[in-house]
Amino acid sequence: MTDSEEMLFEWDEWKARALAQGVPEDLAELGRRIMRDAYMQRWPEDVLSDCGWDDDGFAMLALARAKPAETRRDWERLYARHHRRPACPVETDLRRSDKAIVSAPAPLLIRPPKPEGQARQP
C-alpha cells in the first residue's frame, strides 16, 4: 500500500505549500481549484501559465503571498471566465434547505404475481 502523501495531485501539493507559507485557507483553496480545473477542463493553453502549469505554481504562490486581495480578485475573474462546469442545482438546493432530494414516496418496484392459469409469454 502506498503512503497517502504519494497520492496527492499537483494542486493538493500546491495548496499544502501555500498554507505552510501563510496564504489564507480560502485563497489557497481558490488557487487549488484553479490549478485543478485548468487541467481537468482543458482550459486554453494561453491561460495555463496563469494557473501554475508552467512553473509548478511558484508564480501563483508568490502572488498570493505578496498581494492576496488583488490575487483573489484576479483568480476569481479567471475562474469565472474559464470554469465550464455549472454548479449542481441539487447540491445548491440541499445546502439552502437541508431537505431530502425526493419528497414523494418511491414507487413500488415489485410486480404483482400473475393470476394462476395465465400462460407465460416467451
Side-chain angles (χ1 to χ4, degrees):
M1 179 138 226
T2 60
D3 185 49
S4 63
E5 289 296 317
E6 294 177 30
M7 301 299 286
L8 293 177
F9 291 102
E10 292 88 347
W11 43 82
D12 296 321
E13 291 176 3
W14 183 89
K15 181 181 177 183
R17 233 183 311 151
L19 291 172
Q21 293 191 20
V23 174
E25 169 75 28
D26 61 329
L27 186 57
E29 177 60 25
L30 178 59
R32 186 189 76 80
R33 283 194 341 245
I34 285 176
M35 288 184 82
R36 180 198 62 211
D37 289 351
Y39 175 78
M40 299 293 274
Q41 297 177 5
R42 298 181 181 186
W43 289 7
E45 290 289 326
D46 58 326
V47 176
L48 292 181
S49 62
D50 296 334
C51 302
W53 286 103
D54 290 345
D55 65 351
D56 293 328
F58 287 108
M60 286 178 65
L61 187 55
L63 282 172
R65 291 181 65 209
K67 300 176 180 180
E70 292 175 26
T71 301
R72 182 184 325 278
R73 182 197 66 216
D74 292 344
W75 287 356
E76 285 173 348
R77 288 179 183 164
L78 181 70
Y79 197 75
R81 180 167 185 205
H82 295 287
H83 182 66
R84 295 185 208 136
R85 192 175 330 151
C88 177
V90 172
E91 289 177 4
T92 306
D93 290 342
L94 282 177
R95 275 188 294 238
R96 241 186 275 140
S97 66
D98 289 333
K99 292 181 182 175
I101 296 174
V102 178
S103 59
L108 291 176
L109 299 177
I110 302 172
R111 294 183 185 161
K114 291 184 179 180
E116 288 186 34
Q118 191 176 30
R120 295 182 84 178
Q121 295 180 2

